[in-house]
Amino acid sequence: MRPELAARLCENVPRYTSYPSAPHFHPGIDAVVYRGWLEALEGGGEISLYLHIPYCDRLCWFCACHTKQTRHYEPVAAYLRSLYAEIATVGGLVSGKGRIRAVHFGGGSPTMLKPQHMVALGTALRDNFDFLDDAKISVEIDPNEMDEARLDALAEIGMTRASLGVQDFDPKVQKAINREQSFLQTKAVVDGVRSRGVDSVNLDLLYGLPHQTSESVRSTVAQALTLEPDRMALFGYAHVPWFKKHQTMIEEAWLPGPTERIAQSRLAARAIEDKGYESIGLDHFAKPGDALAVAARAGALHRNFQGYTEDRCETLIGLGPSSIGRFRQGYVQNMPSTGEYRHRVEGGELAVVRGVAFSDDDRVRGWIIERLMCDFAFSAIDLVESFGKAGQKLLRQASSIALKDPDRLLELQGDSFVVPAENRPFVRSIAVKFDKYFERGTARHSAAV
């Protein structure tokens, strides 16, 4: 790749797990609006839940999630009491209007919960929501926290997918990001969840970390592949110290430059694909028989705040501070402050404080961006048939982008706009061309690659 093109495409752009992206949410979408959207849900639909556990017993310097460190368990136990209150309130408003298809436990660190509290949380969800018999339960796992009792608790709540954070197995890299975790620890957890009937294991890897080299990335990927995960995610480290102050613990001089980041990304992707995994969107990989790979081949892949997913539910309900939900009408987000969140939900209120309602223009742009992020292409015919005049307007914009870009980031092939294979790692820089909010926004973002 030409250095000037690589530099251009390493600009800072949104990750596009939503459109409009979260920095453009506003307080006009509040708890009153949220209640109306919950009450407007129609019976018979399928719903996904996201539960946020905003605590860790240590802070990983690379992390940009909404979480806080605590060395004592009482704040976690107190938080769970508040979470139960929100579950009861939202569950009452949703009762009879949909069944739960999928649940994702994220954080922070969900596996910080004591085993009995994990089981109690699973019970509270099933007591307040109507679950489908084959509902999928996904849990983000920190291998450092796991023991036999926690593994048993995850099995008891019906976990069907385990997602383990690996990042990098190199001790020097681990020390620089405050995440020391051996390969044997990781293997023990993978073996433990599989022995309890979990049929899907995902491993998260990172490139662009401090002191990381192509050789360390190669070694980490090779070790991870020996565990034969069903899925792998390969994310670029997002260095955003202006947003997450603890990232100032990472010296910028330790970080690989743009060219090295690209090299690490491509090296890792090739190594994973060489083992028979199919590339899914920008940064996921899956075995050919995995549901994610099946959805990708069928053009049924989606993207939300948990990344790429085969989850087809239109409604996603977020529970816990900072959690984001999606409805037919738009996005909502809970109060980020744990203290204020607790005050609201323990008083029987809803915790939503911001969001955005979709305009017709948002819907068509969001569709284009999601299809680019998932399929690296979109059909001009589908665009116009699905969105009418609004689609025709964006069709003209897409045609102009394809015709005027000397680097051929987007090409018109037949009746489809396609990102050429060599430019797919930079699809976020292509998607941003359809983002009407980007130029007028003040938010700062991470590197495209």
Side-chain angles (χ1 to χ4, degrees), residues 18 52 85 132 201 238 403 419:
S18 73
H52 190 68
L132 290 162
V201 173
L403 290 172
V419 180

Side-chain angles (χ1 to χ4, degrees), residues 50 59 74 84 109 124 156 180 184 200 202 283 299 313 352 382:
Y50 171 76
L59 280 181
E74 176 50 37
Y84 295 148
S109 184
E156 188 170 343
E180 296 182 47
L184 291 179
S200 180
N202 172 77
D283 47 24
C313 297
V352 163
D382 290 346

Side-chain angles (χ1 to χ4, degrees), residues 427-447:
V427 66
R428 290 167 58 201
S429 293
I430 302 167
V432 78
K433 296 177 181 295
F434 295 94
D435 185 344
K436 72 174 183 181
Y437 297 92
F438 182 71
E439 292 297 335
R440 68 190 195 208
T442 58
R444 299 174 69 182
H445 303 283
S446 59

Side-chain angles (χ1 to χ4, degrees), residues 82-332:
S82 304
L83 185 58
Y84 295 148
E86 186 186 19
I87 289 170
T89 299
V90 174
L93 293 169
V94 173
S95 179
K97 296 179 179 178
R99 305 182 72 188
I100 304 304
R101 163 61 61 191
V103 182
H104 186 96
F105 292 85
S109 184
T111 48
M112 186 180 180
L113 300 184
K114 292 182 177 180
Q116 65 269 30
H117 290 159
M118 178 62 76
V119 173
L121 182 54
T123 300
L125 289 173
R126 293 184 183 273
D127 285 347
N128 287 277
F129 294 95
D130 185 13
F131 275 63
L132 290 162
D133 291 341
D134 59 347
K136 303 298 183 183
I137 313 293
S138 176
V139 183
E140 295 176 9
I141 293 176
D142 180 349
N144 286 282
E145 298 167 337
M146 297 307 293
D147 52 29
E148 293 298 310
R150 281 183 167 85
L151 288 168
D152 289 341
L154 293 177
E156 188 170 343
I157 68 170
M159 181 176 69
T160 59
R161 177 172 300 125
S163 185
L164 284 69
V166 171
Q167 324 323 335
D168 191 295
F169 284 125
D170 186 296
K172 184 177 182 179
V173 175
Q174 291 184 353
K175 184 176 181 179
I177 62 175
N178 198 38
R179 176 64 178 257
E180 296 182 47
Q181 171 185 322
S182 72
F183 171 78
L184 291 179
Q185 281 178 296
T186 305
K187 182 179 186 302
V189 176
V190 171
D191 292 343
V193 298
R194 283 182 169 151
S195 70
R196 288 164 174 81
V198 173
D199 60 4
S200 180
V201 173
N202 172 77
L203 300 182
D204 286 344
L205 309 182
L206 284 176
Y207 64 87
L209 289 171
H211 302 307
Q212 225 174 13
T213 64
S214 292
E215 186 52 43
S216 74
V217 170
R218 187 195 312 274
S219 176
T220 290
V221 171
Q223 291 178 79
L225 287 168
T226 66
L227 301 177
E228 298 188 359
D230 302 275
R231 300 179 181 181
M232 298 179 74
L234 178 64
F235 300 119
Y237 164 58
H239 191 60
V240 289
W242 58 87
F243 178 58
K244 291 297 179 181
K245 296 300 183 184
H246 57 257
Q247 288 192 353
T248 59
M249 300 296 291
I250 296 175
E251 296 284 349
E252 293 195 10
W254 300 346
L255 299 175
T259 301
E260 174 64 13
R261 281 177 65 99
I262 293 169
Q264 291 177 7
S265 170
R266 292 193 164 184
L267 180 154
R270 284 196 299 269
I272 296 169
E273 290 169 349
D274 286 347
K275 288 295 184 179
Y277 289 78
E278 295 186 4
S279 178
I280 309 295
L282 178 64
D283 47 24
H284 283 48
F285 304 84
K287 291 183 176 180
D290 185 90
L292 199 65
V294 173
R297 292 195 298 270
L301 192 64
H302 295 285
R303 187 165 170 84
N304 63 22
F305 292 96
Q306 285 78 61
Y308 288 107
T309 177
E310 73 276 19
D311 183 358
R312 62 182 181 272
C313 297
E314 182 180 50
T315 301
L316 167 66
I317 295 176
L319 300 163
S322 81
S323 291
I324 294 175
R326 187 191 192 282
F327 293 79
R328 174 175 50 83
Q329 300 93 333
Y331 290 107
V332 294

